[in-house]
Amino acid sequence: MNEIQNRRRARRDTAAARWQPDGDMPAAPAFELTRVEDYEPHIGAEAVDRILRKAELLDDLHVVHINSTYYGGGVAEILSSLSLLANAAGLRTGWRVIQGRPDFFSITKKMHNALQGGDINLSDLKREIYEEVVYENAVRLHLDHDVVFVHDPQPLPLIKYFRKKSPWFWRCHVDLSHPHPELWAYLAGFIERYDAVILSLPEYAQPLGVPQRFIMPAIDPFSSTNRPLDDAEIDDRLAHYDIPDDLPLVVQVSRFDTWKDPQGVIDAFRIARREVDCTLVLVGNVATDDPEGQEVFERLCASAEDRIRILSVQDSALVNALQRRAAVVLQKSIREGFGLTVTEAMWKGTPVIGGNVGGIRHQIENGVTGYLVDGVEQAAARIVHLLRHPDLRTRMGEKARRSVAGRFLLTRLMEEQMDLIGSVESRFHLRGTAF
Ligand code: UDP
């Protein structure tokens, strides 16, 4: 065994010891965590070693991520994998979810919409409910971590209620290309208290007095949403929901949210179906911090028919199966902070037709790894074209998968976050030694 392997094994053993939530547990847990080493076939041994070395340098820090839902939506998807991967590498990382009443989440969803360019009536009552619920969460959180990441607008004001000794980062995942000016001015009062803001793309940068960093999201290839599935497993999931696959499947997977334009998907499908036989499956879930989802779902149900299936379920194995079995995946968003569903489908070698907005533009190279479209008619034309050209689908899908392997796997995100922590470390004397 060479020296690198020895070092790696030693690290793995240390990390394994940390996986025990309680040192006195009578038996070792029967479960295994994904480790950075498992990414070696995708990112190479050198990258694995480099990332583990960086994690080792930070292994006496305690990091926490705070968001507002445990499932539903990309942030929860990232945090559930990232927090485990970091712990497995020895970087102690917690994940806390704030709680809120329905009126709180109704307000924060309005804020989410307004950050993406919608309108909002920002009344004093809304501000009061927003800040009060976050204050109550602050009381319960007992944060004494070395590094704090706060995700999206819901928990943003938390920083106001802590005597800040450590670096706090506000990580905003939404499409900030057209934020509502009055709302932005109000939120900036909280944002400016942070040490840095992390946005998904440079074009989301705002006039702020704090540094802005850009980190694109990423997927976990080992999660139940993305792990390899064989044909029998895919058949089983589709049969479970009575989804026919006798005709090519056109699929969109998204929270039921008007920014994802599910109605536009149905309209595009109806136009395409005049020329090619196919089945549309719209699968969505309703995140606990998104009170509008149920209403959007119910409105769409009026369009359901034999060849237009609309399902509201939280089943990541179904998402995985559909993204794999689909002839074409759509993500026809009107605004999209990043769009993990695009990454997920591309990773599975399925060509994606995506709205020409936000993060989708950074993922799809138009005509090479998928198509970018500007409206219903264009989407319909691309569906027809892809369904008529299976070889093109295969070629595009292969290129799509390669591009995800190189740019959008979770290890890249973890490394960028560690670099960010390292860059502020000496300023905060997190450990007294330089990174
Ligand atoms: N997702 C899911 N079930 C659904 C719809 C979405 O598990 O019915 C997952 C999806 O696989 C992806 C995430 O939720 O991992 C959505 O992330 P994305 O960035 O596409 O959009 P967001 O919901 O964060 O706006």
Side-chain angles (χ1 to χ4, degrees), residues 12-151:
R12 200 168 52 218
D13 292 346
T14 320
R18 290 181 198 279
W19 298 346
Q20 301 266 6
D22 174 352
D24 297 327
M25 267 172 73
F31 307 106
E32 277 201 17
L33 295 180
T34 299
R35 298 166 315 194
V36 174
E37 290 90 330
D38 297 323
Y39 282 75
E40 188 170 320
H42 305 306
I43 63 172
E46 222 173 276
V48 167
D49 214 48
R50 185 182 66 240
I51 293 166
L52 288 175
R53 256 185 288 121
K54 288 183 182 180
E56 209 168 66
L57 284 170
L58 300 177
D59 72 355
D60 50 358
L61 298 183
H62 196 188
V63 177
V64 67
H65 291 268
I66 305 166
N67 79 322
S68 60
T69 183
Y70 184 67
Y71 73 87
V75 181
E77 188 82 10
I78 291 170
L79 291 182
S80 62
S81 291
L82 181 68
S83 52
L84 296 177
L85 186 68
N87 279 294
L91 174 57
R92 289 182 304 144
T93 302
W95 173 21
R96 307 278 185 88
V97 179
I98 63 161
Q99 294 119 23
R101 306 184 302 258
D103 55 353
F104 171 78
F105 285 122
S106 158
I107 293 164
T108 56
K109 178 67 195 209
K110 288 188 173 80
M111 288 181 171
H112 171 93
N113 291 341
L115 281 176
Q116 299 213 127
D119 208 2
I120 188 168
N121 165 21
L122 195 59
S123 62
D124 287 347
L125 182 63
K126 286 197 185 90
R127 293 176 203 227
E128 194 183 316
I129 293 171
Y130 176 51
E131 293 181 36
E132 186 182 16
V133 170
V134 173
Y135 163 73
E136 290 166 1
N137 276 278
V139 171
R140 288 184 209 109
L141 270 169
H142 301 278
L143 291 184
D144 57 358
H145 296 72
D146 301 299
V147 183
V148 181
F149 288 91
V150 173
H151 294 257

Side-chain angles (χ1 to χ4, degrees), residues 73-75 77 225 253-255 260 283-285 313-314 319 336 339-341 344:
V75 181
E77 188 82 10
T225 311
V253 174
S254 281
R255 279 183 302 108
K260 312 284 186 183
V283 172
N285 56 5
V313 286
Q314 174 57 45
V319 169
E336 191 61 75
L340 283 179
T341 50
E344 290 162 1

Side-chain angles (χ1 to χ4, degrees), residues 106-402:
S106 158
I107 293 164
T108 56
K109 178 67 195 209
K110 288 188 173 80
M111 288 181 171
H112 171 93
N113 291 341
L115 281 176
Q116 299 213 127
D119 208 2
I120 188 168
N121 165 21
L122 195 59
S123 62
D124 287 347
L125 182 63
K126 286 197 185 90
R127 293 176 203 227
E128 194 183 316
I129 293 171
Y130 176 51
E131 293 181 36
E132 186 182 16
V133 170
V134 173
Y135 163 73
E136 290 166 1
N137 276 278
V139 171
R140 288 184 209 109
L141 270 169
H142 301 278
L143 291 184
D144 57 358
H145 296 72
D146 301 299
V147 183
V148 181
F149 288 91
V150 173
H151 294 257
D152 280 342
Q154 297 90 341
L156 169 67
L158 272 177
I159 194 163
K160 203 172 130 180
Y161 307 111
F162 286 89
R163 204 173 302 113
K164 206 173 76 55
K165 292 178 290 221
S166 48
W168 281 55
F169 299 108
W170 185 52
R171 202 316 176 198
C172 181
H173 296 264
V174 305
D175 182 336
L176 281 185
S177 48
H178 304 81
H180 185 278
E182 187 195 348
L183 175 65
W184 184 259
Y186 166 59
L187 296 182
F190 305 112
I191 298 167
E192 298 270 3
R193 293 171 181 246
Y194 283 76
D195 296 289
V197 170
I198 309 168
L199 306 172
S200 294
L201 307 176
E203 53 263 43
Y204 298 158
Q206 300 296 321
L208 283 171
V210 290
Q212 296 173 69
R213 302 271 184 274
F214 308 100
I215 300 182
M216 283 198 265
I219 59 161
D220 171 358
F222 305 98
S223 69
S224 54
T225 311
N226 297 314
R227 74 175 180 84
L229 292 181
D230 60 33
D231 278 340
E233 289 173 302
I234 297 174
D235 290 342
D236 176 66
R237 269 307 76 192
L238 299 191
H240 185 80
Y241 292 98
D242 203 20
I243 297 171
D245 70 341
D246 52 333
L247 297 177
L249 292 180
V250 177
V251 169
Q252 175 158 306
V253 174
S254 281
R255 279 183 302 108
F256 288 109
D257 180 334
T258 47
W259 297 112
K260 312 284 186 183
D261 198 17
Q263 187 59 52
V265 172
I266 294 173
D267 296 344
F269 171 80
R270 285 195 168 131
I271 298 171
R273 200 174 42 165
R274 291 182 205 142
E275 297 185 49
V276 284
D277 250 355
C278 44
T279 303
L280 173 66
V281 185
L282 277 180
V283 172
N285 56 5
V286 178
T288 55
D289 60 355
D290 182 355
E292 292 175 359
Q294 187 59 25
E295 198 187 312
V296 174
F297 169 66
E298 282 164 17
R299 241 182 295 133
L300 288 171
C301 282
S303 303
E305 50 166 275
D306 204 31
R307 292 292 167 184
I308 301 182
R309 298 298 176 96
I310 304 172
L311 284 95
S312 176
V313 286
Q314 174 57 45
D315 183 343
S316 43
L318 173 67
V319 169
N320 192 344
L322 280 170
Q323 289 169 334
R324 285 180 192 282
R325 184 59 58 84
V328 179
V329 161
L330 265 91
Q331 190 54 58
K332 219 201 117 332
S333 306
I334 297 162
R335 293 269 196 274
E336 191 61 75
F338 181 71
L340 283 179
T341 50
V342 173
T343 335
E344 290 162 1
M346 289 173 72
W347 173 247
K348 291 159 188 133
T350 305
V352 181
I353 299 171
N356 188 13
V357 292
I360 301 178
R361 281 186 192 158
H362 287 253
Q363 300 191 62
I364 295 178
E365 190 182 343
N366 192 27
V368 180
T369 59
Y371 287 116
L372 293 171
V373 292
D374 284 303
V376 167
E377 297 286 339
Q378 266 188 26
R382 294 307 190 190
I383 294 172
V384 172
H385 187 68
L386 281 169
L387 291 187
R388 284 192 175 147
H389 296 93
D391 291 353
L392 173 65
R393 296 206 300 269
T394 309
R395 280 200 309 279
M396 268 192 167
E398 276 163 11
K399 287 182 195 149
R401 182 177 166 94
R402 276 202 298 277

